[in-house]
Amino acid sequence: MPELPEVEVLIRHLRPLVQGRTIRAVTVYRDRVIAPSTARQITQALRGARITDLTRRGKYLVFQLRSARSGRPFTMLGHLGMTGRMFVARRTRPLPKHAAVVLEFGRDRFIYEDQRYFGRLTLDAAALERLGPEPLSDEFRAEDFGRLLKSFSRAIKVKLLDQDLIAGVGNIYASEALFRARISPRLAAHRLTLGQVRRLHRAIREVLALAIRQGSTIPLSFAGDHRDGLFYFGQAPGTPDFYAERLRVYDRQGQPCPRCAAPIRRIVQAARSTFFCPACQAPAKRLR
DNA sequence: CACCATGTTCCTTG
DNA sequence: CCAAGGAACATGGT
């Protein structure tokens, strides 16, 4: 679920459900996800506070709140890690097994659930300061991107995952963007030509924008019983797997490349899988 | 038992 | 301080 497009689709669904709501009580079931905040701190700050807005930055969810006591605005940062989910449900529904934090609104409540607890819901918003440009905004420019890439010898695929360089690209869309740009994932970042940088810059934007569009259009599943319409929860049961279908190379090793029919390959880079077409994304020939 | 998983952070080494 | 490379985090699926 959680790369930039999935988080974007999530906040679009969630914003109208949380905006204007007052938090009556807070329960922290797993301290690790609120670090470095403490349960005491978070409970204190959130009780009585009102959620004024919910936005996205990279893969982070940015909750804007207003304190009950001081009237001051403050920020809470959410991240889904690998397996996190955030949704609003009736208070009467049973909590998921891996509920990490619950915010009570009254009849409804906001639930952050995370099987592996790699995600976050914290008052520490420092992580935002390090993030690179937002890829779908004007601050992401091919010239800057190319200049940045000049200082790294690591493979371009690995650098696409570096949130300091560009915010929001993860393991799936890194492979997808490189495929679209016809660039080898193994090419050293500082060796990209200006033309390749331009193609990659464009491909990143296209891949992410397309995923948001499709994520907003495909039949989504709402809530645990798939009926009460309260939250985004992946795709509806019984519908085709558009999520996998729309990906051209990710998790498709051995299948024919959609462009040239050569078998897609899987390699490991920085301990993560990379998928690519060895023919379409061949490294440039060395002259000698 | 083995390996794999949409992510980030921390540690060591150079 | 910078960059590379790897392990660690925690749980579950195959």
Side-chain angles (χ1 to χ4, degrees):
Chain A
M1 261 246 299
E3 291 185 34
L4 182 153
E6 291 76 25
V7 177
E8 178 63 28
V9 171
L10 173 61
I11 65 149
R12 289 181 189 181
H13 281 269
L14 222 39
R15 187 186 296 118
L17 301 175
V18 300
Q19 204 161 33
R21 307 300 292 273
T22 297
I23 299 165
R24 316 249 278 242
V26 181
T27 313
V28 176
Y29 292 95
R30 189 61 78 118
D31 285 341
R32 151 179 218 333
V33 305
I34 60 169
S37 306
T38 64
R40 185 179 300 272
Q41 255 173 353
I42 246 190
T43 307
Q44 181 97 348
L46 293 184
R47 192 184 292 137
R50 190 166 54 89
I51 300 177
T52 55
D53 202 2
L54 171 61
T55 55
R56 180 193 59 73
R57 176 80 172 92
K59 302 174 196 172
Y60 290 91
L61 296 96
V62 183
F63 295 82
Q64 295 298 342
L65 298 105
R66 188 167 298 276
S67 161
R69 335 190 77 169
S70 66
R72 282 216 190 81
F74 64 101
T75 301
M76 178 171 71
L77 209 59
H79 196 290
L80 298 171
M82 298 272 265
T83 53
R85 288 167 162 172
M86 294 187 186
F87 57 95
V88 174
R90 294 278 126 97
R91 201 180 43 187
T92 51
R93 303 182 60 79
L95 284 179
K97 178 175 177 188
H98 297 293
V101 180
V102 174
L103 311 179
E104 302 291 344
F105 291 153
R107 191 178 57 159
D108 297 335
R109 58 189 180 187
F110 171 90
I111 297 164
Y112 162 40
E113 176 237 343
D114 196 338
Q115 182 182 109
R116 288 163 78 180
Y117 304 106
F118 283 179
R120 284 285 182 281
L121 192 63
T122 173
L123 299 175
D124 174 28
L128 293 182
E129 290 161 25
R130 319 194 28 158
L131 288 181
E134 200 53 42
L136 296 178
S137 81
D138 292 343
E139 61 179 43
F140 179 47
R141 284 180 289 270
E143 303 72 49
D144 303 337
F145 188 46
R147 213 173 303 122
L148 272 177
L149 292 179
K150 285 293 175 216
S151 37
F152 306 100
S153 60
R154 292 203 86 172
I156 182 61
K157 155 62 163 49
V158 175
K159 295 315 291 180
L160 284 181
L161 302 181
D162 185 341
Q163 304 297 297
D164 296 1
L165 294 192
I166 172 172
V169 177
N171 206 39
I172 292 176
Y173 297 109
S175 282
E176 294 296 316
L178 287 166
F179 173 74
R180 185 177 269 259
R182 281 174 281 114
I183 295 168
S184 167
R186 293 195 266 216
L187 183 57
H190 65 248
R191 298 226 203 277
L192 267 74
T193 64
L194 184 55
Q196 288 174 319
V197 169
R198 291 211 172 100
R199 291 208 311 273
L200 183 55
H201 172 267
R202 172 189 285 262
I204 290 167
R205 295 169 65 107
E206 288 173 344
V207 160
L208 297 178
L210 185 66
I212 291 171
R213 218 177 311 140
Q214 298 185 123
S216 308
T217 309
I218 61 174
L220 299 174
S221 167
F222 294 90
D225 63 5
H226 309 294
R227 250 181 280 111
D228 65 12
L230 284 181
F231 64 93
Y232 168 70
F233 209 88
Q235 80 167 50
T239 61
D241 191 356
F242 288 112
Y243 177 73
E245 216 167 82
R246 79 190 185 201
L247 302 175
R248 316 245 262 163
V249 291
Y250 184 82
D251 206 20
R252 289 185 180 278
Q253 66 272 37
Q255 296 178 36
C257 166
R259 216 161 28 212
C260 77
I264 300 299
R265 281 196 57 193
R266 171 185 179 273
I267 59 174
V268 174
Q269 299 180 289
R272 321 276 320 263
S273 292
T274 299
F275 302 88
F276 70 108
C277 171
C280 293
Q281 296 170 261
K285 282 205 190 110
R286 296 273 278 302
L287 304 173
R288 47 157 293 159

